[in-house]
Amino acid sequence: MQISRFFSVSFLGLLLLGCTSYQPQPDIRWISIPDLAGSVQGRAPMAVGFDIDDTVLFSSPCFYYGQQKYSPGSDDYLKSQSFWNEINGGCDRYSIPKDVARALIELHQQRGDTLYFITGRPYTEGEQLTGILQKTFAIVDMQPVVFTSGPEKSRFIRERGLRIYYGDADSDIISAREAGARPIRVMRAGNSSYLPLPDNGALGEEVLVDSQR
């Protein structure tokens, strides 16, 4: 998702939702939900992890709102504690859950896997993101959201023993590999405020088909 995903100008906004048509490219290691289910069939329950912005939630509306309120025309809002207090404090009621996230979470819950959500957002007191995710995706055994305050997540992935990690950014893929987890790319929506869009599959990772929505 670069010094910090949240405090660099290149960040711009984390997130997704895709209305655009995407033509699969033959040189990418595409994987479908059925393929994924088959690859873990028969394996004991495991711990898996998800990035949040542009992976499970299309949260660009919250980031666009924050920019208009705190720093119209610039990315300075990403340095504002008030912005992070507000976005973590309930703005994600207006973020749009991704269809692919619903399918992945349903698959892993049916298997009895433990789910973790790891985000590069900074932690703020009174965060409501954990509760919003639990309600939105009907998560039975909800773990508190892990806030890393930046794109480096390998330590957090390793400490929780994650076997699979889903993310939209190159930093997610790299962090998962460094931690010994299986990285799987969820495509960022073409209308995300977090630009430029990544080059899906460029790191040799598996990429979920039609996962921009």
Side-chain angles (χ1 to χ4, degrees):
M1 251 189 184
Q2 312 126 292
I3 297 176
S4 166
R5 172 172 184 170
F6 298 101
F7 300 109
S8 67
V9 172
S10 63
F11 170 88
L12 206 3
L14 313 136
L15 329 308
L16 34 274
L17 187 351
C19 311
T20 59
S21 174
Y22 192 90
Q23 297 300 319
Q25 301 174 38
D27 56 337
I28 294 177
R29 295 177 59 201
W30 296 104
I31 185 172
S32 66
I33 298 292
D35 293 334
L36 175 64
S39 73
V40 297
Q41 185 175 8
R43 297 183 60 183
M46 66 183 76
V48 300
F50 299 83
D51 169 55
I52 295 177
D53 298 301
D54 278 325
T55 298
V56 300
L57 293 178
F58 180 70
S59 45
S60 283
C62 288
F63 285 82
Y64 179 76
Y65 158 78
Q67 183 183 53
Q68 299 310 301
K69 179 176 181 178
Y70 293 102
S71 64
S74 81
D75 294 327
D76 288 347
Y77 73 105
L78 296 172
K79 304 173 185 177
S80 168
Q81 185 62 46
S82 296
F83 165 70
W84 292 113
N85 290 342
E86 190 166 0
I87 190 173
N88 291 341
C91 185
D92 287 297
R93 292 190 299 269
Y94 309 108
S95 293
I96 302 172
K98 293 187 72 170
D99 292 343
V100 67
R102 292 192 186 281
L104 290 171
I105 289 169
E106 180 180 4
L107 167 64
H108 286 294
Q109 289 207 121
Q110 287 179 349
R111 281 181 33 81
D113 296 333
T114 301
L115 278 56
Y116 290 92
F117 295 88
I118 303 178
T119 177
R121 299 184 189 185
Y123 173 77
T124 55
E125 292 291 340
E127 65 90 5
Q128 297 182 32
L129 184 54
T130 297
I132 290 171
L133 289 172
Q134 181 176 24
K135 181 178 180 180
T136 298
F137 295 106
I139 297 172
V140 177
D141 182 21
M142 185 68 192
Q143 306 297 314
V145 168
V146 179
F147 296 86
T148 67
S149 297
E152 169 51 45
K153 300 176 181 177
S154 57
R155 174 170 66 87
F156 304 92
I157 294 171
R158 187 182 301 109
E159 288 175 349
R160 287 155 185 81
L162 305 188
R163 305 308 304 162
I164 300 174
Y165 188 72
Y166 301 95
D168 68 290
D170 288 352
S171 58
D172 294 319
I173 305 305
I174 293 169
S175 291
R177 281 188 174 147
E178 290 178 346
R182 175 185 179 184
I184 298 181
R185 175 92 68 170
V186 173
M187 291 190 291
R188 189 181 304 162
N191 59 339
S192 170
S193 61
Y194 181 21
L195 300 173
L197 297 178
D199 187 3
N200 298 312
L203 300 177
E205 77 284 2
E206 296 168 287
V207 182
L208 276 165
V209 175
D210 295 329
S211 55
Q212 68 272 34
R213 298 188 297 275

